[in-house]
Amino acid sequence: GEDVEQSLFLSVREGDSSVINCTYTDSSSTYLYWYKQEPGAGLQLLTYIFSNMDMKQDQRLTVLLNKKDKHLSLRIADTQTGDSAIYFCAWGFNKFYFGSGTKLNVKP
Amino acid sequence: SAVISQKPSRDICQRGTSLTIQCQVDSQVTMMFWYRQQPGQSLTLIATANQGSEATYESGFVIDKFPISRPNLTFSTLTVSNMSPEDSSIYLCSVRQGGDTGELFFGEGSRLTVL
């Protein structure tokens, strides 16, 4: 599979912004995705970005893509306790590969 | 978006036995995949379930250990054969629908514990 690296843990206070990073080694996909996994639940698609874009904003979520450095980030504004989960970046077309996941902990 | 149902949602199994996980989708989909998520780990693709032909396995996964069926465009099964404690994982069925973004949708997963 493709190597997709993420930082393992992130802890923020409620109301702060969270930034989750993802570095990948292959760039053949048309889209890049962010998924959220809450405890005991399946994966939920949060947002995606087209590979020709640098930035996409979707309510509290901002996705930045730096194709030159193969770096993707997800910024969550005004982070809430309900945002506590594991976040995975994902990449692919006919097959999808997932990053190692970042566990976000939001403290009240 | 597709609605995916997996059965069983969880099970406790004895070493050496086999278990079949079912995945039912509420609409016809072209591409179905099976993933494994070991405790505290990311998702690893096991195989692509091909309708009407043998599944395509990723490196490190073989048909004898993880036989897969896909008799039609809405249903697939994954069998975990001759289980050992190392097979304790969440197994996730996912589908990719057509359209511009082609994202993956996931079932809730089947959590297997092998004693």
Side-chain angles (χ1 to χ4, degrees):
Chain A
E2 318 300 344
D3 288 335
V4 184
E5 297 300 327
Q6 295 181 235
S7 47
L8 291 180
F9 299 101
L10 177 65
S11 185
V12 301
R13 293 205 174 275
E14 194 171 21
D16 288 349
S17 292
S18 306
V19 180
I20 301 169
N21 296 301
C22 169
T23 302
Y24 56 92
T25 59
D26 184 72
S27 55
S28 60
S29 178
T30 304
Y31 291 93
L32 192 65
Y33 308 87
W34 282 103
Y35 282 84
K36 176 183 181 183
Q37 187 179 37
E38 295 183 84
L43 274 78
Q44 170 195 358
L45 178 69
L46 271 184
T47 188
Y48 62 89
I49 186 168
F50 186 54
S51 59
N52 279 357
M53 297 170 64
D54 298 324
M55 184 181 83
K56 177 183 177 182
Q57 185 140 8
D58 185 357
Q59 299 182 344
R60 293 192 296 122
L61 306 177
T62 303
V63 180
L64 296 178
L65 176 60
N66 181 331
K67 288 192 73 175
K68 175 176 170 291
D69 295 337
K70 294 186 172 64
H71 185 262
L72 180 78
S73 68
L74 173 70
R75 179 178 181 270
I76 305 173
D78 187 25
T79 313
Q80 303 297 306
T81 54
D83 294 324
S84 293
I86 302 175
Y87 291 81
F88 295 96
C89 58
W91 185 254
F93 186 70
N94 287 324
K95 302 178 192 177
F96 280 58
Y97 299 97
F98 287 79
S100 51
T102 299
K103 185 171 184 177
L104 174 64
N105 179 43
V106 183
K107 299 181 232 181
Chain B
S1 63
V3 176
I4 303 166
S5 303
Q6 274 187 243
K7 288 195 292 188
S9 57
R10 59 177 63 230
D11 208 340
I12 299 173
C13 308
Q14 296 299 317
R15 184 194 298 257
T17 63
S18 299
L19 183 79
T20 296
I21 301 166
Q22 298 180 3
C23 176
Q24 179 74 53
V25 190
D26 68 343
S27 58
Q28 292 187 339
V29 293
T30 306
M31 304 186 82
M32 292 180 77
F33 306 92
W34 287 98
Y35 284 85
R36 179 175 74 182
Q37 187 178 24
Q38 293 177 301
Q41 302 293 316
S42 183
L43 281 75
T44 302
L45 179 62
I46 298 172
T48 303
N50 301 309
Q51 193 267 327
S53 64
E54 196 170 280
T56 305
Y57 289 85
E58 295 296 299
S59 175
F61 297 95
V62 295
I63 189 171
D64 289 347
K65 176 67 176 176
F66 297 101
I68 288 171
S69 79
R70 188 162 176 208
N72 56 52
L73 292 175
T74 65
F75 185 78
S76 178
T77 67
L78 168 75
T79 299
V80 186
S81 302
N82 187 25
M83 286 185 282
S84 67
E86 292 72 34
D87 294 320
S88 297
S89 285
I90 300 172
Y91 292 86
L92 293 143
C93 171
S94 69
V95 303
R96 181 170 180 263
Q97 291 192 306
D100 291 342
T101 59
E103 67 265 30
L104 283 184
F105 295 94
F106 285 86
E108 293 291 315
S110 299
R111 183 183 293 270
L112 301 189
T113 302
V114 185
L115 303 179

